[in-house]
Amino acid sequence: MLKLSCNATDKLQTLFSHSHQPDPAHRRTVSSVSCSHLRKPVLDPLRATVSADQGSVIRAEQGLGTLADQLRLGSLTEDGLSYKEKFIVRSYEVGSNKTATVETVANLLQEVGCNHAQSVGFSTDGFATTPTMRKLHLIWVTARMHIEIYKYPAWGDVVEIETWCQSEGRIGTRRDWILKDVATGEVTGRATRFPFHHFFSFLDCKWVMMNQDTRRLQKVSDDVRDEYLVFCPKELRLAFPEENNRSLKKIPKLEDPAQYSMIGLKPRRADLDMNLHVNNVTYIGWVLESIPQEIVDTHELQVITLDYRRECQQDDVVDSLTTTTSEIGGTNGSASSGAQGQNDSQFLHLLRLSGDGQEINRGTTLWRKKPSNL
């Protein structure tokens, strides 16, 4: 027998009770029916809805309906300026220690960001593109990704992720995330994504969008900015409000010879995203390939910062270089934690093309000793 959570049951009951209303506005009505008042098995109305209204199912499969919105465990917050969604950590999203990998966390961040964009009416066929961006064939470009994880969720844990975006001056945007353990309410991680101009100001580089056809970078126009600013907090809200935090630090370039390396990495076809370039999360995996095994065995990743400097194509061959470092300062950890621990290890990273050595990414990672129970 199929068992559904109370939350999922309420959402299904709402969907079924309004699926035949003639007025489309009624489809968005929220039901107050609780699980204790449901008299019929969930599967009966589900079959009835599918058989009686095949048209709505087809529209949902084509991305034109609201079936996914009805079943997704996420929604805009009351003020409409941020978005929260819950996720269950699945078996294929954990590593050997039965906790989620950093790639899993990064994928969830990307997912909730895209769902936020869809919830306010932005594109479903690209990553959060506005109507003007779609008209001009523009896509967003990530320049820096910074993730801090204070406690990794385990298999079966439920994680809530809140995200919001906001203007960075007049030429860019940033997106922030906060991760919480639903069972305890504890903040287990934070993340932020910067546009190019924020941390490349020393190069006077002010680009945050790319033309999908020419692959050239472009400034954010007033038309695009006006489209998304209405959904941004009016006052600055930062996932990392601390002064001197690590997300703001300039990353020095790793120079040869590197202490550790993994040569000849190649993108798989599955690594390409819907914008036809290597997905941002793939670079994280490449960086971690050159971490020494003794660190992987005894430590877990706490902080990763990546600067994206070049687009990677499917036919490129990539080298991953890593060296220990103590140059990257700044505060880290949860709001209640202190500075870097004595047993922590810090590394400097470089991804480059194998042939001509062009820089793809530079990054840093901070690793803490694994808990004794792992």
Side-chain angles (χ1 to χ4, degrees), residues 6 10 31 51-52 54-55 69-70 83 111 120 136 163 168 194 198 218 232 247 328 341 349 351:
C6 187
D10 285 346
S31 172
S51 60
Q54 291 288 347
D69 293 334
Q70 294 282 348
Y83 176 90
E111 175 69 10
V120 298
L136 300 177
T163 187
E168 279 285 316
F194 294 138
H198 185 95
Q218 293 187 210
C232 297
S247 72
I328 307 300
H349 305 278
L351 294 181

Side-chain angles (χ1 to χ4, degrees), residues 46-278:
L46 177 59
R47 292 193 183 103
T49 300
V50 171
S51 60
D53 193 2
Q54 291 288 347
S56 64
V57 174
I58 294 173
R59 289 194 298 273
E61 291 176 347
Q62 294 174 341
L64 304 175
T66 60
L67 183 58
D69 293 334
Q70 294 282 348
L71 300 179
R72 185 179 290 129
L73 299 179
S75 62
L76 291 171
T77 55
E78 187 174 350
D79 62 9
L81 301 180
S82 69
Y83 176 90
K84 293 182 179 181
E85 186 167 352
K86 296 180 179 69
F87 299 92
I88 302 172
V89 178
R90 296 172 172 85
S91 60
Y92 57 82
E93 296 174 323
V94 303
S96 58
N97 57 5
K98 298 182 181 179
T99 60
T101 65
V102 66
E103 290 99 324
T104 292
V105 173
N107 276 318
L108 291 179
L109 298 178
Q110 182 170 275
E111 175 69 10
V112 75
C114 290
N115 291 344
H116 178 206
Q118 290 188 31
S119 71
V120 298
F122 287 169
S123 175
T124 60
D125 59 359
F127 290 126
T129 52
T130 70
T132 299
M133 292 177 67
R134 294 196 296 276
K135 180 180 179 181
L136 300 177
H137 295 186
L138 298 174
I139 57 177
W140 292 111
V141 176
T142 298
R144 167 170 288 194
M145 189 72 188
H146 178 83
I147 303 173
E148 298 189 6
I149 304 174
Y150 315 127
K151 181 182 178 182
Y152 281 88
W155 176 22
D157 283 353
V158 182
V159 180
E160 181 183 74
I161 304 178
E162 180 181 9
T163 187
W164 64 95
C165 58
Q166 54 202 322
S167 176
E168 279 285 316
R170 290 188 54 81
I171 53 174
T173 62
R174 62 177 289 153
R175 179 174 286 279
D176 291 77
W177 294 265
I178 293 178
L179 296 82
K180 289 185 178 180
D181 184 324
V182 172
T184 65
E186 176 187 5
V187 174
T188 57
R190 296 181 291 173
T192 189
R193 181 193 69 195
F194 294 138
F196 271 85
H197 83 279
H198 185 95
F199 66 98
F200 279 173
S201 56
F202 56 95
L203 296 176
D204 194 30
C205 187
K206 301 178 179 179
W207 312 102
V208 292
M209 296 191 306
M210 176 186 288
N211 185 288
Q212 195 167 11
D213 301 324
T214 66
R215 318 308 285 185
R216 294 182 179 273
L217 299 173
Q218 293 187 210
K219 293 180 181 179
V220 176
S221 67
D222 290 342
D223 290 340
V224 171
R225 187 171 59 254
D226 290 343
E227 286 174 328
Y228 67 75
L229 277 182
V230 66
F231 303 108
C232 297
K234 303 304 181 285
E235 297 182 2
L236 186 63
R237 181 189 177 193
L238 303 175
F240 298 95
E242 302 90 346
E243 293 185 8
N244 196 38
N245 70 80
R246 293 174 63 95
S247 72
L248 301 174
K249 294 297 180 179
K250 181 179 176 181
I251 301 176
K253 183 178 180 180
L254 186 155
E255 301 293 345
D256 283 332
Q259 290 178 279
Y260 313 98
S261 62
M262 183 65 68
I263 307 301
L265 300 170
K266 297 181 180 180
R268 303 172 303 158
R269 290 172 180 154
D271 293 328
L272 298 182
D273 61 26
M274 65 183 77
N275 288 327
L276 301 181
H277 59 205
V278 174

